[in-house]
Amino acid sequence: MSTIAIVGAGPQLGFAIGTKFAERGGFDVALVARRASQLEAMVDRFRSAGVSAAAFPADVTDRQNLAKALAAAEEHFGSIDVLEYSPAPTLSDLADRPLVSAVDLTVEAVLPELETSFFGAVAAVRQVLPGMIDRGAGTVIGTSGAGSGPMVVPQVANANAANAALRNWLLALNESVADRGVHVAHIALGAMIGSGRPNSEPDVIADLYWKAHVERDAPEIFHYDLPEDFEFRLADKFRAD
């Protein structure tokens, strides 16, 4: 049985990704995020659907505990065959560390975003990648907003600078490990998840992750589904995950 570990798992996209892998590939699901109560509720939803799932609470900014949580998931399930990384801020996070425009960007505004979006991803990948390389198989998928590269969104410069670092590293990592059986992909989402637009529904977007895992032919997937009159505001994903 294969296992997908979803870091930053939330009740919308995270749950949809886990469901997709369970339904299409019979995967077990390891859930990693800060809030234990939310994770347990998701585990109950998975188990009620007949999916083997378990929660491993950890904050991605605590890199040592994040590695321990993933190690516990590996011990529990036997291996992690797919790692998906997509932590997102809550409203309280954004109150503590507001989004900053390009003209107002400071070092202090970027550092917390790097901890969440980039340094945590490095720690997570470092935990599971050696096992994937040893087995000669595995998939790593990192998620960001499309402002990481495909789009220019100056209103959120601190988040996008960190997401761009993630994107750059994942593309380079894919070049480094593709010949060792491991596929690395970056998924850039230009969508307001859960907004009611058909192509922005979590289940539809989750198909991109399954496609990345099984087709393994593209290091980057850009999904754009914003209305013509789009003006920047927080996607519902950031409010719920």
Side-chain angles (χ1 to χ4, degrees):
M1 186 71 71
S2 298
T3 300
I4 180 171
I6 303 171
V7 180
Q12 290 202 82
L13 183 57
F15 184 80
I17 292 169
T19 299
K20 189 72 61 176
F21 276 73
E23 291 178 348
R24 296 284 186 88
F27 275 69
D28 296 331
V29 181
L31 303 170
V32 181
R34 285 176 294 179
R35 294 177 293 283
S37 59
Q38 178 173 281
L39 291 182
E40 289 300 337
M42 292 173 65
V43 167
D44 288 343
R45 289 174 66 191
F46 277 119
R47 289 177 177 171
S48 67
V51 176
S52 175
F56 304 90
D59 188 326
V60 298
T61 64
D62 185 339
R63 297 191 292 276
Q64 184 176 14
N65 280 339
L66 174 59
K68 288 180 179 178
L70 288 168
E74 289 176 303
E75 182 176 357
H76 180 85
F77 287 113
S79 66
I80 291 176
D81 306 283
V82 178
L83 173 72
E84 193 278 325
Y85 188 88
S86 57
T90 64
L91 290 179
S92 60
D93 291 330
L94 293 173
D96 292 336
R97 54 175 206 268
L99 297 173
V100 175
S101 69
V103 73
D104 296 318
L105 189 65
T106 64
V107 171
E108 291 75 18
V110 174
L111 286 175
E113 304 305 323
L114 286 168
E115 284 285 358
T116 298
S117 297
F118 184 47
F119 299 155
V122 174
V125 172
R126 291 307 312 154
Q127 177 60 41
V128 304
L129 184 61
M132 292 180 177
I133 291 174
D134 286 346
R135 294 188 297 274
T139 302
V140 174
I141 303 173
T143 304
S144 74
S148 60
M151 292 175 62
V152 176
V153 187
Q155 298 94 329
V156 290
N158 53 340
N160 285 337
N163 286 332
L166 172 68
R167 173 180 184 256
N168 181 278
W169 175 59
L170 291 175
L171 295 178
L173 184 61
N174 183 64
E175 288 286 328
S176 302
V177 299
D179 62 351
R180 297 189 236 182
V182 180
H183 179 60
V184 181
H186 172 248
I187 294 183
L189 298 178
M192 303 189 70
I193 300 171
S195 62
R197 293 175 63 87
N199 288 331
S200 292
E201 288 303 300
D203 180 66
V204 172
I205 293 175
D207 278 328
L208 302 175
Y209 294 78
W210 181 250
K211 178 181 177 181
H213 171 61
V214 297
E215 295 187 2
R216 306 169 74 82
D217 60 350
E220 184 165 48
I221 297 171
F222 175 37
H223 180 70
Y224 185 86
D225 185 47
L226 293 172
E228 292 184 6
D229 59 349
F230 171 74
E231 293 183 5
F232 175 77
R233 67 182 178 86
L234 286 177
D236 289 347
K237 177 184 188 302
F238 287 87
R239 300 175 181 274
D241 277 17

